[in-house]
Amino acid sequence: MSAAEVVVVGQVARDLVVRASRLPGPDGSAPARREWEGLGGKGANQAVACRRLGASAALVGVVGDDDAGARALRTAGRDGVDVSGVVVRPAAATALLLDVVEEDGTRRLLEDAPDEVLVRPEDVRASAGALAAARWVLLQLQTPADAAYAALEALGPAAPGAPCLLADGAPGDDGLREALLRRADVLRADAHEAELLVGRELPDVGAVEEAARELVAAGPRVVALGAGPEGNVVAWERGCLRIPLLDVDVVDKTGGGDSYVAALAVALLRGDPVEDAAWRASAAASLAVSVAGGRPRYDAAAVTDLVRDRRR
């Protein structure tokens, strides 16, 4: 694997989006149409988003030795993502994400991710050199805990020149939670994951702000938490910011969080102030959900234009 500014550790999958006017009842049927099909999975979405935003990116993940896995690797390669760290697992089927979207935008995700295509510690160790050489590592906490521990081991302790870690999600392992809080430069979680991180319900945006400040005090330099319809809360040592959901026509919520993570990381990588990075993350997420499927189709200029328009 060649040196990349951003290395993403996470899921690679085949993403299939189906739109239905309604969902059928038990034993029923309903008309539907295939909206989009292609490369998906949180890891792949984030790696592609980083490339579209101008950072070099590499991916550490797993596909099966089937046609879907081969297509995923070809697509990511055409997107400019280094896929030499993606393991092709013999006799395994590539993960499938079936995204069912109703006409009103309601989304339901069905996931077939066999154990064989989950990231294992040995998969991470095989790319340890690339992780250690990266400027940012994006780690999905959907990744099994033992693989996440292997990523932390490859990164080593936080120190000048060490890779910055952006952890995305909430680990079920309390020991991993504490290790991540000590090591992560940036922690991102949606509204439900935020409650898991702090171990309590967060009934309103004020409670989310309190949780974000609490998590910053535990170690991360920046904490970005989803606050449901209120948008996002971003906290750092010197401030706390609420950014509302940007007004766009939502077609499919798939990949919105992945674009948020990627844009936040790339903006901080480029040296943007936290407030500016947070706005860029919200804009990228908004652009992602304005099309079907999780594949990012915007570029850095589109993100800049949307920020300029909404931040006036």
Side-chain angles (χ1 to χ4, degrees):
M1 180 184 289
S2 59
E5 292 176 295
V6 181
V7 176
V8 183
V9 181
Q11 184 187 60
V12 188
R14 172 189 172 207
D15 191 5
L16 176 59
V17 181
V18 175
R19 187 170 295 276
S21 58
R22 61 178 176 82
L23 293 182
D27 300 321
S29 63
R33 68 177 185 273
R34 178 161 38 186
E35 191 88 356
W36 185 84
E37 182 175 0
L39 174 66
K42 291 180 71 66
N45 289 343
Q46 290 181 13
V48 172
C50 287
R51 284 295 300 127
R52 296 198 67 82
L53 293 168
S56 58
L59 182 58
V60 176
V62 182
V63 296
D65 63 348
D66 52 8
D67 289 342
R71 287 196 301 273
L73 293 179
R74 286 196 301 270
T75 301
R78 287 195 297 267
D79 286 324
V81 175
D82 181 349
V83 294
S84 58
V86 178
V87 174
V88 179
R89 195 88 77 209
T94 299
L96 170 64
L97 306 178
L98 177 58
D99 184 18
V100 182
V101 183
E102 295 179 72
E103 294 298 338
D104 64 359
T106 301
R107 170 181 176 261
R108 292 173 174 83
L109 181 65
L110 304 177
E111 184 172 3
D112 177 20
D115 288 346
E116 292 79 12
V117 291
L118 299 180
V119 180
R120 298 173 181 171
E122 56 267 30
D123 304 326
V124 175
R125 294 188 193 109
S127 295
L131 293 171
R135 293 183 62 190
W136 277 93
V137 172
L138 309 188
L139 175 63
Q140 279 77 62
L141 300 182
Q142 166 190 76
T143 301
D146 54 357
Y149 277 117
L152 290 177
E153 182 180 352
L155 295 181
C164 298
L165 173 65
L166 194 159
D168 174 26
D173 182 319
D174 287 341
L176 179 57
R177 175 187 180 277
E178 298 307 316
L180 285 164
L181 289 177
R182 289 193 300 269
R183 181 60 180 82
D185 289 83
V186 180
L187 183 65
R188 163 66 182 172
D190 65 21
H192 174 64
E193 293 163 346
E195 293 182 335
L196 295 177
L197 281 167
V198 297
R200 63 180 184 273
E201 292 186 359
L202 302 174
D204 53 44
V205 70
V208 176
E209 286 187 352
E210 181 182 348
R213 291 190 182 97
E214 176 184 320
L215 291 167
V216 167
R221 178 167 61 95
V222 178
V223 172
L225 302 180
E230 299 294 331
N232 290 278
V233 169
V234 181
W236 63 105
E237 184 181 6
R238 297 180 181 177
C240 189
L241 176 69
R242 298 183 190 180
I243 297 183
L245 297 176
L246 305 189
D247 184 20
V248 298
D249 292 329
V250 177
V251 174
D252 178 9
K253 295 179 182 179
T254 305
D258 300 330
S259 283
Y260 188 101
V261 166
L264 185 63
V266 172
L268 293 173
L269 169 70
R270 301 298 188 227
D272 289 1
V274 174
E275 183 175 353
D276 293 346
W279 274 97
R280 291 189 67 81
S282 289
S286 296
L287 291 169
V289 302
S290 65
V291 298
R295 175 184 171 81
R297 278 166 263 184
Y298 49 79
D299 58 19
V303 172
T304 298
D305 289 345
L306 184 57
V307 171
R308 184 184 301 117
D309 179 54
R310 296 299 194 270
R311 203 176 173 182
R312 289 173 181 169

